[in-house]
Amino acid sequence: MTIKRRQFLTKAAAAGTGAVAAGTFAKPAIAQERMEWKMVTSWPKGLPGLATGAERLAQRIGDLSGGRLTVKVYAAGELVPALQVLDAVSSSTAEMGHDASYYHIGKVPAAGFYTAVPFGMTAQELNGWVYFGGGQELWDELYAPFGVKAFLAGNTGVQMGGWFRKEVKSPADLKGLKFRMPGQGGQVLTRLGVTVVTLPGGEIFQNLQSGAIDATEWVGPYNDLSLGFYKVAKFYYWPGFHEPGSGLQCTINKAKWDSLSPDLQRIVAAACSAENDLMLAEFNGRSGPALATLVREHGVQLRQFPKSVLQAYGQASGELMQELYDNGDEITKKICASYFKFRKDALAWTRISDQAYANARLLEFKYPEG
Ligand code: CA
């Protein structure tokens, strides 16, 4: 900006102040462009990974826009309850939200695909579908009736199967368990005789401690360590069939989105894309050390789900997805068709790329360990 331009704007702003006081002239455009938005979230204040990711996203929007659009973040319950973020954005209570789309499958069944579905796609595969496989366009269509625009804005990577007080040795051991699991993963567990509970992150520990629930899933070592589940349940199961790479969404009230200048829209989209990368890097980067802490310092017992349990989860997951497809309304069917086709092709590629490499790396040979 040139000095002359700055001087002009200063004068214009001063004139604008007078105009507002006089109540006759409109404010100059530059003043209108300084906005503060509210971002409501589902996360307990300061929760590492998720809340800090939402904070980082908000900060980046402010930084990249040179302060033209600043975003104030609200923790779960500060402005609206944890699970009402989408409603708040839809109704314009807040301009923005950061949460998981699968909290809303009761109202929007296909929303789950944008977080994770049982035995669905990994983080990399989800990104491929949303950015390059038609997923974003379908998402826009899905949320249009709610007046909401959404972007991927974070990912937890593959999650753990959950914290259990007792070992799970066969599908029969699942029957009667009171297990906190949201989304379609919870619907799969229901089919296996589990009593499923949905609780926001900030309420899980006390419920597990009091025995109100027998088991819970949350995310993975990094996040779970900070919530302290190891203090009340010792068996930590893997892998998390239900959330193979959970995307988090930044939602924006569509009328507010449309009111942004094209450059601010690009800034918001770019900030979301950056957070989508960074959060995944953070979860992956911090989970290895956190896992070591859980096992070595807190005596956590790692357990792999037996093949029979994974098989039962898989069978029930496939049936659930088929029913969603068969019984869905028009948009649900469109998203199912797109997602399942993409998953099929992605599975074939991942099998001979990431999966084959990860398996090869486990063969016995010497390699430096730092
Ligand atoms: Ca989870």
Side-chain angles (χ1 to χ4, degrees), residues 34-364:
R34 284 205 173 267
M35 293 174 283
E36 181 176 288
W37 279 10
K38 298 189 238 348
M39 178 195 278
V40 289
T41 73
S42 294
W43 322 125
K45 197 164 196 67
L47 180 71
L50 296 167
T52 53
E55 292 277 0
R56 191 166 46 204
L57 168 60
Q59 183 68 42
R60 181 168 278 108
I61 292 170
D63 291 347
L64 292 179
S65 69
R68 281 190 296 149
L69 176 59
T70 51
V71 180
K72 183 169 166 50
V73 179
Y74 293 83
E78 283 187 335
L79 203 58
V80 297
L83 303 180
Q84 288 177 24
V85 168
L86 185 65
D87 287 339
V89 174
S90 177
S91 67
S92 227
T93 302
E95 293 85 357
M96 273 185 149
H98 194 270
D99 73 336
S101 60
Y102 74 177
Y103 290 147
H104 313 292
I105 55 171
K107 190 190 286 185
V108 195
F113 290 109
Y114 295 91
T115 308
V117 296
F119 281 97
M121 295 199 265
T122 64
Q124 293 90 328
E125 292 164 352
L126 177 68
N127 287 342
W129 177 60
V130 171
Y131 293 143
F132 295 100
Q136 181 70 56
E137 291 77 7
L138 289 166
W139 204 359
D140 292 347
E141 196 177 331
L142 181 68
Y143 280 180
F146 304 95
V148 171
K149 167 80 184 166
F151 290 107
L152 286 177
N155 199 297
T156 64
V158 68
Q159 299 201 359
M160 286 291 282
W163 296 88
F164 294 76
R165 292 178 189 282
K166 292 181 186 167
E167 287 187 85
V168 178
K169 292 182 172 166
S170 75
D173 291 339
L174 296 169
K175 288 195 173 37
L177 273 185
K178 282 175 285 179
F179 192 166
R180 181 268 176 193
M181 184 182 281
Q184 275 124 343
Q187 295 177 7
V188 167
L189 291 181
T190 302
R191 287 165 187 242
L192 301 175
V194 173
T195 302
V196 174
V197 180
T198 299
L199 291 168
E203 295 172 24
I204 302 173
F205 182 86
Q206 71 214 45
N207 278 274
L208 194 57
Q209 189 174 36
S210 71
I213 56 173
D214 303 306
T216 186
E217 71 80 58
W218 177 241
V219 178
Y222 169 45
N223 225 205
D224 294 7
L225 174 63
S226 70
L227 288 177
F229 300 134
Y230 63 87
K231 295 172 191 164
V232 285
K234 283 292 177 208
F235 297 107
Y236 197 20
Y237 271 85
W238 58 278
F241 79 94
H242 61 299
E243 296 195 63
S246 293
L248 287 316
Q249 62 178 359
C250 175
T251 48
I252 305 153
N253 180 278
K254 183 66 165 51
K256 299 287 181 182
W257 169 256
D258 290 340
S259 76
L260 290 181
S261 59
D263 68 323
L264 281 179
Q265 287 189 342
R266 282 194 289 274
I267 283 168
V268 171
C272 288
S273 169
E275 188 51 41
N276 201 39
D277 282 344
L278 281 172
M279 192 187 289
L280 180 62
E282 185 176 8
F283 272 103
N284 281 333
R286 298 198 195 279
S287 278
L291 182 63
T293 301
L294 285 169
V295 172
R296 287 185 204 148
E297 293 178 24
H298 301 304
V300 168
Q301 305 275 311
L302 286 177
R303 292 284 185 279
Q304 183 176 14
F305 280 125
K307 195 177 169 190
S308 62
V309 172
L310 287 175
Q311 191 79 38
Y313 283 156
Q315 184 67 30
S317 299
E319 288 168 10
L320 182 76
M321 289 297 116
Q322 188 64 53
E323 287 170 24
L324 184 65
Y325 196 0
D326 293 343
N327 303 330
D329 58 10
E330 190 191 349
I331 183 63
T332 303
K333 277 187 196 298
K334 269 168 86 171
I335 291 177
C336 282
S338 173
Y339 185 94
F340 296 146
K341 171 69 167 65
F342 195 94
R343 178 188 179 277
K344 176 173 174 278
D345 292 342
L347 197 145
W349 166 234
T350 297
R351 180 173 177 237
I352 61 167
S353 56
D354 287 358
Q355 192 172 334
Y357 170 69
N359 287 338
R361 199 169 53 176
L362 289 175
L363 294 172
E364 284 197 24

